[in-house]
Amino acid sequence: MIKETYGVTTYKSTHHTIQAEGVFKEKEISFRTIPTPREITVSCGLAIIFALDDLPKVKDMVNNEEINVDSIYKYTKSGSGNKAEKID
């Protein structure tokens, strides 16, 4: 069974998501904007998914207030179902 793990950041508004996209691009962190996975319940319908290896860079962006995230999750996709664990 193939299992893939990513980092996912969620936001309180679409405006914050769009603002974060610009910072991810500026920092040259690979990402994709996705509909918020159903395993994660938040007010904004968009989230950013990124390689878990980039988590320290993303946490630095949060700590330096470059992006305004609601939460950060470790998101695992597998054949038996998807799972989200809050990591901040």
Side-chain angles (χ1 to χ4, degrees):
M1 175 176 12
I2 296 175
K3 194 173 182 181
E4 299 173 347
T5 304
Y6 303 94
V8 172
T9 51
T10 59
Y11 303 87
K12 291 186 178 179
S13 73
T14 301
H15 173 76
H16 288 145
T17 307
I18 293 168
Q19 189 177 38
E21 287 176 329
V23 177
F24 272 74
K25 286 178 187 172
E26 182 183 301
K27 302 287 182 179
E28 298 181 356
I29 297 172
S30 294
F31 71 97
R32 206 167 38 129
T33 303
I34 61 170
T36 303
R38 74 174 74 166
E39 294 80 9
I40 300 170
T41 304
V42 294
S43 57
C44 179
L46 295 175
I48 290 180
I49 192 167
F50 58 93
L52 206 51
D53 291 343
D54 289 327
L55 182 60
K57 293 178 188 175
V58 173
K59 282 188 170 182
D60 283 346
M61 290 164 33
V62 173
N63 291 335
N64 294 331
E65 299 180 356
E66 296 174 85
I67 59 175
N68 189 1
V69 301
D70 185 47
S71 298
I72 303 174
Y73 292 87
K74 178 180 174 184
Y75 186 65
T76 305
K77 292 174 139 186
S78 71
S80 61
N82 302 332
K83 182 175 147 189
E85 298 171 57
K86 197 171 183 178
I87 55 175
D88 68 330

PDB file of all heavy atoms in Angstrom, residues 4-44:
ATOM      1  N   GLU A   4       1.541   8.392   1.365  1.00  0.00           N
ATOM      2  CA  GLU A   4       2.211   9.661   1.094  1.00  0.00           C
ATOM      3  C   GLU A   4       1.895  10.627   2.230  1.00  0.00           C
ATOM      4  O   GLU A   4       0.749  10.732   2.663  1.00  0.00           O
ATOM      5  CB  GLU A   4       1.722  10.243  -0.227  1.00  0.00           C
ATOM      6  CG  GLU A   4       2.008   9.346  -1.416  1.00  0.00           C
ATOM      7  CD  GLU A   4       1.361   9.862  -2.686  1.00  0.00           C
ATOM      8  OE1 GLU A   4       0.514  10.759  -2.624  1.00  0.00           O
ATOM      9  OE2 GLU A   4       1.724   9.344  -3.746  1.00  0.00           O
ATOM     10  N   THR A   5       2.917  11.350   2.688  1.00  0.00           N
ATOM     11  CA  THR A   5       2.728  12.293   3.778  1.00  0.00           C
ATOM     12  C   THR A   5       3.163  13.689   3.339  1.00  0.00           C
ATOM     13  O   THR A   5       4.228  13.840   2.737  1.00  0.00           O
ATOM     14  CB  THR A   5       3.529  11.853   5.018  1.00  0.00           C
ATOM     15  OG1 THR A   5       3.140  10.522   5.367  1.00  0.00           O
ATOM     16  CG2 THR A   5       3.265  12.756   6.196  1.00  0.00           C
ATOM     17  N   TYR A   6       2.345  14.669   3.667  1.00  0.00           N
ATOM     18  CA  TYR A   6       2.589  16.063   3.296  1.00  0.00           C
ATOM     19  C   TYR A   6       2.365  16.961   4.508  1.00  0.00           C
ATOM     20  O   TYR A   6       1.796  16.549   5.501  1.00  0.00           O
ATOM     21  CB  TYR A   6       1.605  16.512   2.211  1.00  0.00           C
ATOM     22  CG  TYR A   6       1.621  15.675   0.969  1.00  0.00           C
ATOM     23  CD1 TYR A   6       0.733  14.616   0.803  1.00  0.00           C
ATOM     24  CD2 TYR A   6       2.518  15.948  -0.039  1.00  0.00           C
ATOM     25  CE1 TYR A   6       0.745  13.850  -0.339  1.00  0.00           C
ATOM     26  CE2 TYR A   6       2.548  15.184  -1.193  1.00  0.00           C
ATOM     27  CZ  TYR A   6       1.658  14.135  -1.337  1.00  0.00           C
ATOM     28  OH  TYR A   6       1.684  13.370  -2.467  1.00  0.00           O
ATOM     29  N   GLY A   7       2.744  18.216   4.353  1.00  0.00           N
ATOM     30  CA  GLY A   7       2.349  19.249   5.298  1.00  0.00           C
ATOM     31  C   GLY A   7       1.202  20.020   4.680  1.00  0.00           C
ATOM     32  O   GLY A   7       1.153  20.193   3.461  1.00  0.00           O
ATOM     33  N   VAL A   8       0.269  20.450   5.500  1.00  0.00           N
ATOM     34  CA  VAL A   8      -0.861  21.249   5.027  1.00  0.00           C
ATOM     35  C   VAL A   8      -1.032  22.440   5.966  1.00  0.00           C
ATOM     36  O   VAL A   8      -1.059  22.278   7.177  1.00  0.00           O
ATOM     37  CB  VAL A   8      -2.174  20.430   4.992  1.00  0.00           C
ATOM     38  CG1 VAL A   8      -3.364  21.328   4.680  1.00  0.00           C
ATOM     39  CG2 VAL A   8      -2.087  19.305   3.978  1.00  0.00           C
ATOM     40  N   THR A   9      -1.104  23.632   5.384  1.00  0.00           N
ATOM     41  CA  THR A   9      -1.419  24.814   6.177  1.00  0.00           C
ATOM     42  C   THR A   9      -2.840  25.246   5.852  1.00  0.00           C
ATOM     43  O   THR A   9      -3.264  25.176   4.705  1.00  0.00           O
ATOM     44  CB  THR A   9      -0.458  25.986   5.870  1.00  0.00           C
ATOM     45  OG1 THR A   9      -0.396  26.209   4.476  1.00  0.00           O
ATOM     46  CG2 THR A   9       0.936  25.699   6.400  1.00  0.00           C
ATOM     47  N   THR A  10      -3.558  25.646   6.889  1.00  0.00           N
ATOM     48  CA  THR A  10      -4.924  26.132   6.705  1.00  0.00           C
ATOM     49  C   THR A  10      -4.990  27.600   7.130  1.00  0.00           C
ATOM     50  O   THR A  10      -4.140  28.071   7.892  1.00  0.00           O
ATOM     51  CB  THR A  10      -5.929  25.314   7.526  1.00  0.00           C
ATOM     52  OG1 THR A  10      -5.596  25.393   8.911  1.00  0.00           O
ATOM     53  CG2 THR A  10      -5.945  23.862   7.069  1.00  0.00           C
ATOM     54  N   TYR A  11      -6.001  28.276   6.646  1.00  0.00           N
ATOM     55  CA  TYR A  11      -6.115  29.729   6.835  1.00  0.00           C
ATOM     56  C   TYR A  11      -7.533  30.102   7.229  1.00  0.00           C
ATOM     57  O   TYR A  11      -8.471  29.370   6.953  1.00  0.00           O
ATOM     58  CB  TYR A  11      -5.714  30.445   5.540  1.00  0.00           C
ATOM     59  CG  TYR A  11      -4.324  30.057   5.123  1.00  0.00           C
ATOM     60  CD1 TYR A  11      -4.107  28.920   4.337  1.00  0.00           C
ATOM     61  CD2 TYR A  11      -3.220  30.767   5.568  1.00  0.00           C
ATOM     62  CE1 TYR A  11      -2.826  28.521   4.003  1.00  0.00           C
ATOM     63  CE2 TYR A  11      -1.937  30.381   5.231  1.00  0.00           C
ATOM     64  CZ  TYR A  11      -1.745  29.250   4.447  1.00  0.00           C
ATOM     65  OH  TYR A  11      -0.474  28.851   4.130  1.00  0.00           O
ATOM     66  N   LYS A  12      -7.669  31.263   7.852  1.00  0.00           N
ATOM     67  CA  LYS A  12      -8.998  31.724   8.258  1.00  0.00           C
ATOM     68  C   LYS A  12      -9.758  32.377   7.115  1.00  0.00           C
ATOM     69  O   LYS A  12     -10.967  32.536   7.196  1.00  0.00           O
ATOM     70  CB  LYS A  12      -8.868  32.695   9.431  1.00  0.00           C
ATOM     71  CG  LYS A  12      -8.411  32.000  10.683  1.00  0.00           C
ATOM     72  CD  LYS A  12      -8.411  32.893  11.869  1.00  0.00           C
ATOM     73  CE  LYS A  12      -7.981  32.055  13.065  1.00  0.00           C
ATOM     74  NZ  LYS A  12      -7.906  32.786  14.276  1.00  0.00           N
ATOM     75  N   SER A  13      -9.021  32.780   6.052  1.00  0.00           N
ATOM     76  CA  SER A  13      -9.702  33.424   4.932  1.00  0.00           C
ATOM     77  C   SER A  13      -8.958  33.139   3.633  1.00  0.00           C
ATOM     78  O   SER A  13      -7.769  32.806   3.642  1.00  0.00           O
ATOM     79  CB  SER A  13      -9.796  34.937   5.149  1.00  0.00           C
ATOM     80  OG  SER A  13      -8.521  35.517   4.973  1.00  0.00           O
ATOM     81  N   THR A  14      -9.661  33.309   2.527  1.00  0.00           N
ATOM     82  CA  THR A  14      -9.046  33.152   1.210  1.00  0.00           C
ATOM     83  C   THR A  14      -7.952  34.199   1.014  1.00  0.00           C
ATOM     84  O   THR A  14      -6.913  33.922   0.418  1.00  0.00           O
ATOM     85  CB  THR A  14     -10.120  33.276   0.115  1.00  0.00           C
ATOM     86  OG1 THR A  14     -11.106  32.267   0.350  1.00  0.00           O
ATOM     87  CG2 THR A  14      -9.538  33.082  -1.267  1.00  0.00           C
ATOM     88  N   HIS A  15      -8.181  35.389   1.537  1.00  0.00           N
ATOM     89  CA  HIS A  15      -7.172  36.459   1.439  1.00  0.00           C
ATOM     90  C   HIS A  15      -5.838  35.997   2.047  1.00  0.00           C
ATOM     91  O   HIS A  15      -4.771  36.209   1.459  1.00  0.00           O
ATOM     92  CB  HIS A  15      -7.675  37.724   2.141  1.00  0.00           C
ATOM     93  CG  HIS A  15      -6.664  38.802   2.229  1.00  0.00           C
ATOM     94  ND1 HIS A  15      -6.324  39.591   1.157  1.00  0.00           N
ATOM     95  CD2 HIS A  15      -5.861  39.199   3.250  1.00  0.00           C
ATOM     96  CE1 HIS A  15      -5.380  40.439   1.524  1.00  0.00           C
ATOM     97  NE2 HIS A  15      -5.088  40.219   2.794  1.00  0.00           N
ATOM     98  N   HIS A  16      -5.879  35.374   3.225  1.00  0.00           N
ATOM     99  CA  HIS A  16      -4.649  34.889   3.866  1.00  0.00           C
ATOM    100  C   HIS A  16      -3.995  33.789   3.038  1.00  0.00           C
ATOM    101  O   HIS A  16      -2.768  33.694   2.975  1.00  0.00           O
ATOM    102  CB  HIS A  16      -4.943  34.378   5.282  1.00  0.00           C
ATOM    103  CG  HIS A  16      -5.245  35.471   6.253  1.00  0.00           C
ATOM    104  ND1 HIS A  16      -6.147  35.318   7.270  1.00  0.00           N
ATOM    105  CD2 HIS A  16      -4.786  36.744   6.352  1.00  0.00           C
ATOM    106  CE1 HIS A  16      -6.224  36.438   7.969  1.00  0.00           C
ATOM    107  NE2 HIS A  16      -5.405  37.321   7.421  1.00  0.00           N
ATOM    108  N   THR A  17      -4.802  32.943   2.390  1.00  0.00           N
ATOM    109  CA  THR A  17      -4.254  31.874   1.547  1.00  0.00           C
ATOM    110  C   THR A  17      -3.509  32.475   0.354  1.00  0.00           C
ATOM    111  O   THR A  17      -2.375  32.070   0.055  1.00  0.00           O
ATOM    112  CB  THR A  17      -5.376  30.942   1.044  1.00  0.00           C
ATOM    113  OG1 THR A  17      -6.137  30.488   2.153  1.00  0.00           O
ATOM    114  CG2 THR A  17      -4.807  29.757   0.280  1.00  0.00           C
ATOM    115  N   ILE A  18      -4.128  33.441  -0.296  1.00  0.00           N
ATOM    116  CA  ILE A  18      -3.499  34.079  -1.459  1.00  0.00           C
ATOM    117  C   ILE A  18      -2.217  34.803  -1.043  1.00  0.00           C
ATOM    118  O   ILE A  18      -1.190  34.730  -1.723  1.00  0.00           O
ATOM    119  CB  ILE A  18      -4.492  35.038  -2.143  1.00  0.00           C
ATOM    120  CG1 ILE A  18      -5.632  34.222  -2.764  1.00  0.00           C
ATOM    121  CG2 ILE A  18      -3.795  35.903  -3.186  1.00  0.00           C
ATOM    122  CD1 ILE A  18      -6.815  35.044  -3.211  1.00  0.00           C
ATOM    123  N   GLN A  19      -2.258  35.442   0.097  1.00  0.00           N
ATOM    124  CA  GLN A  19      -1.076  36.132   0.616  1.00  0.00           C
ATOM    125  C   GLN A  19       0.047  35.113   0.879  1.00  0.00           C
ATOM    126  O   GLN A  19       1.208  35.347   0.544  1.00  0.00           O
ATOM    127  CB  GLN A  19      -1.452  36.856   1.905  1.00  0.00           C
ATOM    128  CG  GLN A  19      -0.399  37.776   2.449  1.00  0.00           C
ATOM    129  CD  GLN A  19      -0.920  38.504   3.687  1.00  0.00           C
ATOM    130  OE1 GLN A  19      -1.636  37.925   4.514  1.00  0.00           O
ATOM    131  NE2 GLN A  19      -0.575  39.766   3.786  1.00  0.00           N
ATOM    132  N   ALA A  20      -0.302  33.963   1.442  1.00  0.00           N
ATOM    133  CA  ALA A  20       0.694  32.917   1.734  1.00  0.00           C
ATOM    134  C   ALA A  20       1.288  32.347   0.446  1.00  0.00           C
ATOM    135  O   ALA A  20       2.482  32.035   0.396  1.00  0.00           O
ATOM    136  CB  ALA A  20       0.062  31.805   2.574  1.00  0.00           C
ATOM    137  N   GLU A  21       0.474  32.214  -0.602  1.00  0.00           N
ATOM    138  CA  GLU A  21       0.998  31.724  -1.882  1.00  0.00           C
ATOM    139  C   GLU A  21       2.176  32.580  -2.342  1.00  0.00           C
ATOM    140  O   GLU A  21       3.194  32.057  -2.806  1.00  0.00           O
ATOM    141  CB  GLU A  21      -0.089  31.749  -2.962  1.00  0.00           C
ATOM    142  CG  GLU A  21      -1.139  30.691  -2.817  1.00  0.00           C
ATOM    143  CD  GLU A  21      -2.229  30.843  -3.866  1.00  0.00           C
ATOM    144  OE1 GLU A  21      -2.517  31.980  -4.299  1.00  0.00           O
ATOM    145  OE2 GLU A  21      -2.800  29.814  -4.252  1.00  0.00           O
ATOM    146  N   GLY A  22       2.046  33.879  -2.211  1.00  0.00           N
ATOM    147  CA  GLY A  22       3.122  34.786  -2.615  1.00  0.00           C
ATOM    148  C   GLY A  22       4.389  34.556  -1.815  1.00  0.00           C
ATOM    149  O   GLY A  22       5.499  34.572  -2.363  1.00  0.00           O
ATOM    150  N   VAL A  23       4.250  34.297  -0.518  1.00  0.00           N
ATOM    151  CA  VAL A  23       5.420  34.070   0.332  1.00  0.00           C
ATOM    152  C   VAL A  23       6.056  32.716  -0.003  1.00  0.00           C
ATOM    153  O   VAL A  23       7.279  32.603  -0.083  1.00  0.00           O
ATOM    154  CB  VAL A  23       5.041  34.156   1.828  1.00  0.00           C
ATOM    155  CG1 VAL A  23       6.245  33.857   2.709  1.00  0.00           C
ATOM    156  CG2 VAL A  23       4.472  35.529   2.164  1.00  0.00           C
ATOM    157  N   PHE A  24       5.231  31.683  -0.231  1.00  0.00           N
ATOM    158  CA  PHE A  24       5.776  30.375  -0.632  1.00  0.00           C
ATOM    159  C   PHE A  24       6.590  30.531  -1.922  1.00  0.00           C
ATOM    160  O   PHE A  24       7.680  29.973  -2.041  1.00  0.00           O
ATOM    161  CB  PHE A  24       4.655  29.346  -0.835  1.00  0.00           C
ATOM    162  CG  PHE A  24       4.256  28.601   0.410  1.00  0.00           C
ATOM    163  CD1 PHE A  24       3.508  29.211   1.400  1.00  0.00           C
ATOM    164  CD2 PHE A  24       4.620  27.282   0.581  1.00  0.00           C
ATOM    165  CE1 PHE A  24       3.128  28.522   2.541  1.00  0.00           C
ATOM    166  CE2 PHE A  24       4.239  26.575   1.724  1.00  0.00           C
ATOM    167  CZ  PHE A  24       3.497  27.203   2.705  1.00  0.00           C
ATOM    168  N   LYS A  25       6.058  31.285  -2.887  1.00  0.00           N
ATOM    169  CA  LYS A  25       6.776  31.500  -4.160  1.00  0.00           C
ATOM    170  C   LYS A  25       8.073  32.248  -3.916  1.00  0.00           C
ATOM    171  O   LYS A  25       9.118  31.874  -4.456  1.00  0.00           O
ATOM    172  CB  LYS A  25       5.897  32.286  -5.136  1.00  0.00           C
ATOM    173  CG  LYS A  25       4.789  31.491  -5.731  1.00  0.00           C
ATOM    174  CD  LYS A  25       3.938  32.348  -6.656  1.00  0.00           C
ATOM    175  CE  LYS A  25       2.720  31.577  -7.120  1.00  0.00           C
ATOM    176  NZ  LYS A  25       1.777  32.435  -7.863  1.00  0.00           N
ATOM    177  N   GLU A  26       8.008  33.297  -3.111  1.00  0.00           N
ATOM    178  CA  GLU A  26       9.194  34.106  -2.811  1.00  0.00           C
ATOM    179  C   GLU A  26      10.286  33.265  -2.159  1.00  0.00           C
ATOM    180  O   GLU A  26      11.468  33.426  -2.458  1.00  0.00           O
ATOM    181  CB  GLU A  26       8.772  35.241  -1.881  1.00  0.00           C
ATOM    182  CG  GLU A  26       9.859  36.207  -1.516  1.00  0.00           C
ATOM    183  CD  GLU A  26       9.328  37.242  -0.534  1.00  0.00           C
ATOM    184  OE1 GLU A  26       8.368  37.955  -0.873  1.00  0.00           O
ATOM    185  OE2 GLU A  26       9.876  37.317   0.570  1.00  0.00           O
ATOM    186  N   LYS A  27       9.899  32.329  -1.285  1.00  0.00           N
ATOM    187  CA  LYS A  27      10.867  31.470  -0.583  1.00  0.00           C
ATOM    188  C   LYS A  27      11.243  30.236  -1.403  1.00  0.00           C
ATOM    189  O   LYS A  27      12.019  29.399  -0.937  1.00  0.00           O
ATOM    190  CB  LYS A  27      10.278  31.008   0.762  1.00  0.00           C
ATOM    191  CG  LYS A  27       9.881  32.116   1.696  1.00  0.00           C
ATOM    192  CD  LYS A  27      11.077  32.780   2.300  1.00  0.00           C
ATOM    193  CE  LYS A  27      10.619  33.855   3.283  1.00  0.00           C
ATOM    194  NZ  LYS A  27      11.721  34.523   3.937  1.00  0.00           N
ATOM    195  N   GLU A  28      10.646  30.106  -2.615  1.00  0.00           N
ATOM    196  CA  GLU A  28      10.918  28.989  -3.526  1.00  0.00           C
ATOM    197  C   GLU A  28      10.614  27.636  -2.882  1.00  0.00           C
ATOM    198  O   GLU A  28      11.366  26.675  -3.013  1.00  0.00           O
ATOM    199  CB  GLU A  28      12.346  29.048  -4.048  1.00  0.00           C
ATOM    200  CG  GLU A  28      12.613  30.305  -4.852  1.00  0.00           C
ATOM    201  CD  GLU A  28      14.025  30.385  -5.420  1.00  0.00           C
ATOM    202  OE1 GLU A  28      14.855  29.518  -5.143  1.00  0.00           O
ATOM    203  OE2 GLU A  28      14.263  31.359  -6.163  1.00  0.00           O
ATOM    204  N   ILE A  29       9.498  27.576  -2.163  1.00  0.00           N
ATOM    205  CA  ILE A  29       9.012  26.331  -1.566  1.00  0.00           C
ATOM    206  C   ILE A  29       7.923  25.785  -2.491  1.00  0.00           C
ATOM    207  O   ILE A  29       6.958  26.497  -2.799  1.00  0.00           O
ATOM    208  CB  ILE A  29       8.440  26.575  -0.153  1.00  0.00           C
ATOM    209  CG1 ILE A  29       9.541  27.084   0.773  1.00  0.00           C
ATOM    210  CG2 ILE A  29       7.805  25.296   0.398  1.00  0.00           C
ATOM    211  CD1 ILE A  29       9.041  27.534   2.138  1.00  0.00           C
ATOM    212  N   SER A  30       8.095  24.545  -2.937  1.00  0.00           N
ATOM    213  CA  SER A  30       7.083  23.922  -3.795  1.00  0.00           C
ATOM    214  C   SER A  30       5.798  23.717  -3.009  1.00  0.00           C
ATOM    215  O   SER A  30       5.836  23.245  -1.862  1.00  0.00           O
ATOM    216  CB  SER A  30       7.584  22.571  -4.310  1.00  0.00           C
ATOM    217  OG  SER A  30       8.675  22.759  -5.160  1.00  0.00           O
ATOM    218  N   PHE A  31       4.684  24.077  -3.612  1.00  0.00           N
ATOM    219  CA  PHE A  31       3.396  23.948  -2.937  1.00  0.00           C
ATOM    220  C   PHE A  31       2.301  23.840  -3.978  1.00  0.00           C
ATOM    221  O   PHE A  31       2.524  24.060  -5.167  1.00  0.00           O
ATOM    222  CB  PHE A  31       3.118  25.172  -2.043  1.00  0.00           C
ATOM    223  CG  PHE A  31       2.827  26.418  -2.830  1.00  0.00           C
ATOM    224  CD1 PHE A  31       1.512  26.803  -3.071  1.00  0.00           C
ATOM    225  CD2 PHE A  31       3.840  27.184  -3.357  1.00  0.00           C
ATOM    226  CE1 PHE A  31       1.225  27.946  -3.797  1.00  0.00           C
ATOM    227  CE2 PHE A  31       3.572  28.332  -4.094  1.00  0.00           C
ATOM    228  CZ  PHE A  31       2.264  28.710  -4.319  1.00  0.00           C
ATOM    229  N   ARG A  32       1.129  23.523  -3.485  1.00  0.00           N
ATOM    230  CA  ARG A  32      -0.054  23.508  -4.322  1.00  0.00           C
ATOM    231  C   ARG A  32      -1.224  23.974  -3.477  1.00  0.00           C
ATOM    232  O   ARG A  32      -1.377  23.559  -2.322  1.00  0.00           O
ATOM    233  CB  ARG A  32      -0.306  22.096  -4.845  1.00  0.00           C
ATOM    234  CG  ARG A  32      -1.060  22.043  -6.133  1.00  0.00           C
ATOM    235  CD  ARG A  32      -0.994  20.668  -6.752  1.00  0.00           C
ATOM    236  NE  ARG A  32      -1.059  19.619  -5.741  1.00  0.00           N
ATOM    237  CZ  ARG A  32      -1.886  18.597  -5.779  1.00  0.00           C
ATOM    238  NH1 ARG A  32      -2.677  18.433  -6.796  1.00  0.00           N
ATOM    239  NH2 ARG A  32      -1.899  17.700  -4.830  1.00  0.00           N
ATOM    240  N   THR A  33      -2.036  24.836  -4.028  1.00  0.00           N
ATOM    241  CA  THR A  33      -3.248  25.262  -3.329  1.00  0.00           C
ATOM    242  C   THR A  33      -4.342  24.257  -3.646  1.00  0.00           C
ATOM    243  O   THR A  33      -4.559  23.917  -4.810  1.00  0.00           O
ATOM    244  CB  THR A  33      -3.651  26.678  -3.768  1.00  0.00           C
ATOM    245  OG1 THR A  33      -2.547  27.555  -3.505  1.00  0.00           O
ATOM    246  CG2 THR A  33      -4.874  27.161  -3.018  1.00  0.00           C
ATOM    247  N   ILE A  34      -4.986  23.763  -2.608  1.00  0.00           N
ATOM    248  CA  ILE A  34      -5.982  22.706  -2.758  1.00  0.00           C
ATOM    249  C   ILE A  34      -7.248  23.066  -1.972  1.00  0.00           C
ATOM    250  O   ILE A  34      -7.188  23.897  -1.068  1.00  0.00           O
ATOM    251  CB  ILE A  34      -5.447  21.347  -2.246  1.00  0.00           C
ATOM    252  CG1 ILE A  34      -5.090  21.445  -0.748  1.00  0.00           C
ATOM    253  CG2 ILE A  34      -4.250  20.890  -3.063  1.00  0.00           C
ATOM    254  CD1 ILE A  34      -4.791  20.112  -0.085  1.00  0.00           C
ATOM    255  N   PRO A  35      -8.371  22.448  -2.316  1.00  0.00           N
ATOM    256  CA  PRO A  35      -9.532  22.566  -1.416  1.00  0.00           C
ATOM    257  C   PRO A  35      -9.157  21.939  -0.065  1.00  0.00           C
ATOM    258  O   PRO A  35      -8.471  20.921  -0.027  1.00  0.00           O
ATOM    259  CB  PRO A  35     -10.619  21.746  -2.112  1.00  0.00           C
ATOM    260  CG  PRO A  35     -10.153  21.580  -3.520  1.00  0.00           C
ATOM    261  CD  PRO A  35      -8.657  21.642  -3.498  1.00  0.00           C
ATOM    262  N   THR A  36      -9.559  22.547   1.007  1.00  0.00           N
ATOM    263  CA  THR A  36      -9.221  22.010   2.329  1.00  0.00           C
ATOM    264  C   THR A  36      -9.730  20.579   2.445  1.00  0.00           C
ATOM    265  O   THR A  36     -10.910  20.323   2.188  1.00  0.00           O
ATOM    266  CB  THR A  36      -9.833  22.889   3.433  1.00  0.00           C
ATOM    267  OG1 THR A  36      -9.358  24.228   3.273  1.00  0.00           O
ATOM    268  CG2 THR A  36      -9.460  22.378   4.810  1.00  0.00           C
ATOM    269  N   PRO A  37      -8.824  19.637   2.793  1.00  0.00           N
ATOM    270  CA  PRO A  37      -9.266  18.231   2.908  1.00  0.00           C
ATOM    271  C   PRO A  37     -10.411  18.092   3.907  1.00  0.00           C
ATOM    272  O   PRO A  37     -10.449  18.787   4.918  1.00  0.00           O
ATOM    273  CB  PRO A  37      -8.006  17.514   3.405  1.00  0.00           C
ATOM    274  CG  PRO A  37      -6.866  18.383   2.990  1.00  0.00           C
ATOM    275  CD  PRO A  37      -7.398  19.790   3.060  1.00  0.00           C
ATOM    276  N   ARG A  38     -11.309  17.178   3.627  1.00  0.00           N
ATOM    277  CA  ARG A  38     -12.483  17.022   4.490  1.00  0.00           C
ATOM    278  C   ARG A  38     -12.120  16.549   5.900  1.00  0.00           C
ATOM    279  O   ARG A  38     -12.894  16.711   6.829  1.00  0.00           O
ATOM    280  CB  ARG A  38     -13.505  16.100   3.855  1.00  0.00           C
ATOM    281  CG  ARG A  38     -13.154  14.639   3.879  1.00  0.00           C
ATOM    282  CD  ARG A  38     -14.249  13.780   3.377  1.00  0.00           C
ATOM    283  NE  ARG A  38     -14.326  13.922   1.909  1.00  0.00           N
ATOM    284  CZ  ARG A  38     -14.988  13.140   1.132  1.00  0.00           C
ATOM    285  NH1 ARG A  38     -15.682  12.171   1.635  1.00  0.00           N
ATOM    286  NH2 ARG A  38     -14.994  13.296  -0.161  1.00  0.00           N
ATOM    287  N   GLU A  39     -10.915  15.988   6.066  1.00  0.00           N
ATOM    288  CA  GLU A  39     -10.476  15.556   7.397  1.00  0.00           C
ATOM    289  C   GLU A  39     -10.131  16.741   8.291  1.00  0.00           C
ATOM    290  O   GLU A  39      -9.935  16.598   9.493  1.00  0.00           O
ATOM    291  CB  GLU A  39      -9.249  14.637   7.297  1.00  0.00           C
ATOM    292  CG  GLU A  39      -9.510  13.307   6.631  1.00  0.00           C
ATOM    293  CD  GLU A  39      -9.521  13.405   5.096  1.00  0.00           C
ATOM    294  OE1 GLU A  39      -9.168  14.469   4.544  1.00  0.00           O
ATOM    295  OE2 GLU A  39      -9.902  12.407   4.469  1.00  0.00           O
ATOM    296  N   ILE A  40     -10.020  17.925   7.677  1.00  0.00           N
ATOM    297  CA  ILE A  40      -9.667  19.144   8.394  1.00  0.00           C
ATOM    298  C   ILE A  40     -10.856  20.094   8.309  1.00  0.00           C
ATOM    299  O   ILE A  40     -11.311  20.416   7.222  1.00  0.00           O
ATOM    300  CB  ILE A  40      -8.425  19.807   7.773  1.00  0.00           C
ATOM    301  CG1 ILE A  40      -7.228  18.857   7.815  1.00  0.00           C
ATOM    302  CG2 ILE A  40      -8.109  21.113   8.475  1.00  0.00           C
ATOM    303  CD1 ILE A  40      -6.028  19.338   7.018  1.00  0.00           C
ATOM    304  N   THR A  41     -11.322  20.559   9.455  1.00  0.00           N
ATOM    305  CA  THR A  41     -12.456  21.469   9.473  1.00  0.00           C
ATOM    306  C   THR A  41     -11.973  22.861   9.836  1.00  0.00           C
ATOM    307  O   THR A  41     -11.446  23.077  10.926  1.00  0.00           O
ATOM    308  CB  THR A  41     -13.504  21.017  10.504  1.00  0.00           C
ATOM    309  OG1 THR A  41     -13.874  19.679  10.203  1.00  0.00           O
ATOM    310  CG2 THR A  41     -14.718  21.899  10.475  1.00  0.00           C
ATOM    311  N   VAL A  42     -12.094  23.776   8.917  1.00  0.00           N
ATOM    312  CA  VAL A  42     -11.734  25.180   9.153  1.00  0.00           C
ATOM    313  C   VAL A  42     -12.708  26.058   8.391  1.00  0.00           C
ATOM    314  O   VAL A  42     -13.480  25.588   7.568  1.00  0.00           O
ATOM    315  CB  VAL A  42     -10.290  25.500   8.710  1.00  0.00           C
ATOM    316  CG1 VAL A  42      -9.283  24.767   9.555  1.00  0.00           C
ATOM    317  CG2 VAL A  42     -10.094  25.189   7.261  1.00  0.00           C
ATOM    318  N   SER A  43     -12.604  27.358   8.630  1.00  0.00           N
ATOM    319  CA  SER A  43     -13.552  28.258   7.990  1.00  0.00           C
ATOM    320  C   SER A  43     -13.216  28.547   6.525  1.00  0.00           C
ATOM    321  O   SER A  43     -14.104  28.842   5.737  1.00  0.00           O
ATOM    322  CB  SER A  43     -13.641  29.573   8.770  1.00  0.00           C
ATOM    323  OG  SER A  43     -12.368  30.148   8.870  1.00  0.00           O
ATOM    324  N   CYS A  44     -11.948  28.461   6.126  1.00  0.00           N
ATOM    325  CA  CYS A  44     -11.579  28.749   4.744  1.00  0.00           C
ATOM    326  C   CYS A  44     -11.570  27.452   3.943  1.00  0.00           C
ATOM    327  O   CYS A  44     -11.119  26.413   4.415  1.00  0.00           O
ATOM    328  CB  CYS A  44     -10.199  29.401   4.685  1.00  0.00           C
ATOM    329  SG  CYS A  44      -9.648  29.777   3.022  1.00  0.00           S
TER     330      CYS A  44
END
